[in-house]
Amino acid sequence: METVAGNFTKLQQQLQKKQKWFLLLISSLLISTILILLTVTFSSGWNNSASTTQLLFRRRQQQQGQSSPRFAESKLAKTETFAGKLPRLAYLISGSAGDGVNLKRALKALYHPRNQYVVHLDLEAPVEERLELIRWVNEGEKVFQEVGNVRAVVRSNLVTYRGPTMVSNTLHAAAILLRDGGEWDWFINLSASDYPLVTQDDLLHTLSSIPRDLNFIEHTSDIGWKEDQRARPVIIDPGLYSLQKSDVFWATEKRSVPTAYRLFTGSAWMMLSRPFIEYSLWGWDNLPRIVLMYYANFLSSPEGYFHTVICNAEEFKNTTVNHDLHFISWARKFGKNDPVLDRIDSELLGVSADGFVHGGWFSKNIKANSTELKPGNGARRVKNLISGLLSAEGFRTSHCI
Ligand SMILES: *[C@@H]1O[C@H](CO)[C@@H](O)[C@H](O)[C@H]1NC(C)=O
Ligand SMILES: *[C@@H]1O[C@H](CO)[C@@H](O)[C@H](O)[C@H]1NC(C)=O
Ligand SMILES: *[C@@H]1O[C@H](CO)[C@@H](O)[C@H](O)[C@H]1NC(C)=O
């Protein structure tokens, strides 16, 4: 031990000697540079009398004059909303094997030319079923081609129920909608077994009078039993690397609950604002990425990813409305040709024989920017709900608790 320690001190002394030499060399170099600079600046060779320091100083002042502190984050954080116009919604409707029929029916009931749609059947669905959906979207319905606002995901994802691949699939669709979907205000993801309870005219009409930056996401930090059952176990989703669908599996080790951010959980239905989707996807702040990686090993990550991101992001926290619009705007879980669907069609939506809800847009020549809405009873229900939520006591102070 002692010889090791002795060797170590010797080594240190040698290093210190070398350092001294190095320092001397550097400081002499520095002094000569400064001397040369000074001679150059004060010599008459300059046309104007500005010294180097003045030049540098001016440059900096000019930069600051444009806008005070210029962090990339704060500049990027201000994404625009399209207030003033009637809102537009961007939908993802996704399903798996055998969901094709339901998905088509839901899409028609949800259809409006103002909106944007992405439909996705996951890799578990047989190739024929996926091709049939793509064919139907691209050639089957005349309206879709005229307006051009429905897209089928061709490169399907493998989506594991309760696994993080559900989240990546949602983000994938949101990315497609951001890139190709033009202007839209809210993103809504539904599954093929969901069905609307109000018409799009109802929804667009009601949403036209509320701030576009609101996020409807039911959430709580009271994770309760989920701490033991969800947050501590570590799971692996084979959908992240395999082509075959199989269930998630558990690692033997458990992990502790995060301390860098608080976990939130809540409902799987949500209506998220465009600025928040941009924040989640473009990642000008690292939080969405970090949380995404954390949730890669989280059982039922779909129940918590967006909730945790939004509630830990200072700039979005206050935009949350603690409701998922479930049972007001949409419901599940419906099987193929469920008789309840027929009742919803006739009693709530007024679906026509062709499967579409003929709102204000259908009687005119179909226009992508059709602005004529015919809201019905559904609009009243949604309006009552939303105005109740926004005017509730403590709305402003009870976000993300
Ligand atoms: C919407 O996406 C989230 C995140 O992937 C998921 O948790 C949720 O189940 C989806 N909602 C519906 C209704 O499919
Ligand atoms: C959010 O609301 C809280 C409580 O009203 C307030 O203290 C905070 O400054 C708000 N944050 C932002 C970013 O507006
Ligand atoms: C959108 O609406 C405006 C005014 O209502 C109209 O002039 C325009 O042609 C419409 N655009 C499309 C693509 O139909």
Side-chain angles (χ1 to χ4, degrees):
M1 276 307 280
E2 261 182 334
T3 46
V4 174
N7 278 343
F8 184 66
T9 10
K10 248 188 228 161
L11 203 72
Q12 264 187 328
Q13 280 165 353
Q14 276 174 359
L15 271 177
Q16 272 168 0
K17 250 188 224 162
K18 270 196 188 155
Q19 265 176 354
K20 260 183 214 158
W21 275 107
F22 189 66
L23 273 178
L24 255 172
L25 191 78
I26 290 283
S27 36
S28 54
L29 263 176
L30 255 178
I31 290 170
S32 38
T33 325
I34 290 174
L35 278 177
I36 292 171
L37 259 179
L38 280 179
T39 355
V40 171
T41 342
F42 289 114
S43 69
S44 51
W46 291 93
N47 285 341
N48 58 27
S49 58
S51 72
T52 329
T53 40
Q54 268 177 326
L55 278 176
L56 285 175
F57 187 60
R58 276 215 197 130
R59 198 50 67 80
R60 200 159 288 154
Q61 266 185 331
Q62 273 170 1
Q63 278 178 351
Q64 278 177 347
Q66 288 165 6
S67 70
S68 28
R70 299 188 59 199
F71 299 114
E73 287 93 335
S74 57
K75 193 155 168 264
L76 285 166
K78 282 186 207 105
T79 47
E80 278 186 54
T81 53
F82 304 104
K85 302 180 192 164
L86 269 187
R88 294 176 191 268
L89 302 174
Y91 283 94
L92 159 67
I93 312 172
S94 43
S96 190
D99 286 337
V101 174
N102 258 357
L103 197 156
K104 287 180 186 173
R105 183 168 179 169
L107 172 59
K108 279 181 157 188
L110 286 163
Y111 187 78
H112 193 285
R114 286 193 72 76
N115 296 342
Q116 294 289 332
Y117 301 84
V118 166
V119 292
H120 174 258
L121 279 180
D122 89 341
L123 266 189
E124 200 192 15
V127 180
E128 305 79 57
E129 194 176 13
R130 285 188 276 135
L131 286 178
E132 159 55 21
L133 180 72
I134 293 167
R135 191 205 56 78
W136 179 72
V137 164
N138 293 336
E139 300 156 31
E141 289 290 338
K142 212 171 103 243
V143 184
F144 297 167
Q145 287 103 63
E146 266 176 48
V147 183
N149 61 343
V150 181
R151 289 163 200 78
V153 176
V154 179
R155 270 183 257 169
S156 295
N157 301 306
L158 192 60
V159 179
T160 314
Y161 174 64
R162 302 191 299 176
T165 40
M166 275 184 86
V167 178
S168 69
N169 184 53
T170 306
L171 292 173
H172 179 199
I176 292 174
L177 286 161
L178 274 187
R179 200 192 63 178
D180 292 346
E183 297 179 359
W184 50 262
D185 303 282
W186 280 284
F187 173 72
I188 298 166
N189 68 320
L190 298 174
S191 87
S193 58
D194 291 322
Y195 208 70
L197 299 179
V198 296
T199 68
Q200 293 307 292
D201 282 31
D202 292 339
L203 212 50
L204 295 174
H205 170 79
T206 315
L207 294 176
S208 63
S209 58
I210 70 163
R212 303 282 159 99
D213 62 348
L214 291 181
N215 289 283
F216 293 81
I217 179 166
E218 194 227 43
H219 61 270
T220 173
S221 67
D222 182 13
I223 59 172
W225 60 270
K226 286 186 181 171
E227 176 171 336
D228 245 15
Q229 307 287 314
R230 298 280 160 83
R232 291 172 46 73
V234 174
I235 60 120
I236 311 286
D237 178 352
L240 286 173
Y241 55 83
S242 169
L243 283 174
Q244 274 359 285
K245 191 146 170 167
S246 52
D247 201 5
V248 300
F249 61 90
W250 276 257
T252 45
E253 292 291 314
K254 295 209 165 192
R255 60 180 172 185
S256 49
V257 176
T259 49
Y261 39 83
R262 261 168 91 202
L263 289 183
F264 284 79
T265 176
S267 162
W269 285 270
M270 51 194 93
M271 183 167 86
L272 302 174
S273 70
R274 184 183 182 111
F276 179 63
I277 290 292
E278 289 182 354
Y279 170 81
S280 302
L281 279 164
W282 290 347
W284 63 79
D285 186 287
N286 216 12
L287 180 76
R289 260 188 298 264
I290 299 271
V291 177
L292 186 64
M293 290 182 178
Y294 170 78
Y295 270 96
N297 304 102
F298 195 98
L299 184 66
S300 289
S301 45
E303 288 170 12
Y305 174 65
F306 287 112
H307 313 71
T308 298
V309 172
I310 202 165
C311 282
N312 285 280
E314 204 47 55
E315 59 269 61
F316 288 103
K317 223 164 127 167
N318 289 355
T319 63
T320 54
V321 182
N322 205 345
H323 199 282
D324 63 359
L325 305 176
H326 192 203
F327 294 125
I328 297 287
S329 297
W330 32 78
R332 86 163 37 147
K333 185 153 197 154
F334 301 108
K336 217 183 285 178
N337 301 325
D338 191 323
V340 179
L341 290 180
D342 297 333
R343 285 194 49 206
I344 295 176
D345 277 355
S346 61
E347 289 169 27
L348 297 179
L349 302 178
V351 169
S352 310
D354 59 9
F356 287 102
V357 181
H358 292 189
W361 61 276
F362 208 86
S363 48
K364 312 272 161 214
N365 296 330
I366 301 152
K367 282 182 183 164
N369 61 353
S370 151
T371 49
E372 197 178 324
L373 301 180
K374 284 188 186 156
N377 281 335
R380 226 193 34 245
R381 290 199 302 275
V382 183
K383 196 176 179 67
N384 284 346
L385 172 80
I386 294 182
S387 45
L389 290 166
L390 298 188
S391 60
E393 204 183 322
F395 170 70
R396 275 177 209 299
T397 51
S398 59
H399 303 282
C400 293
I401 46 176

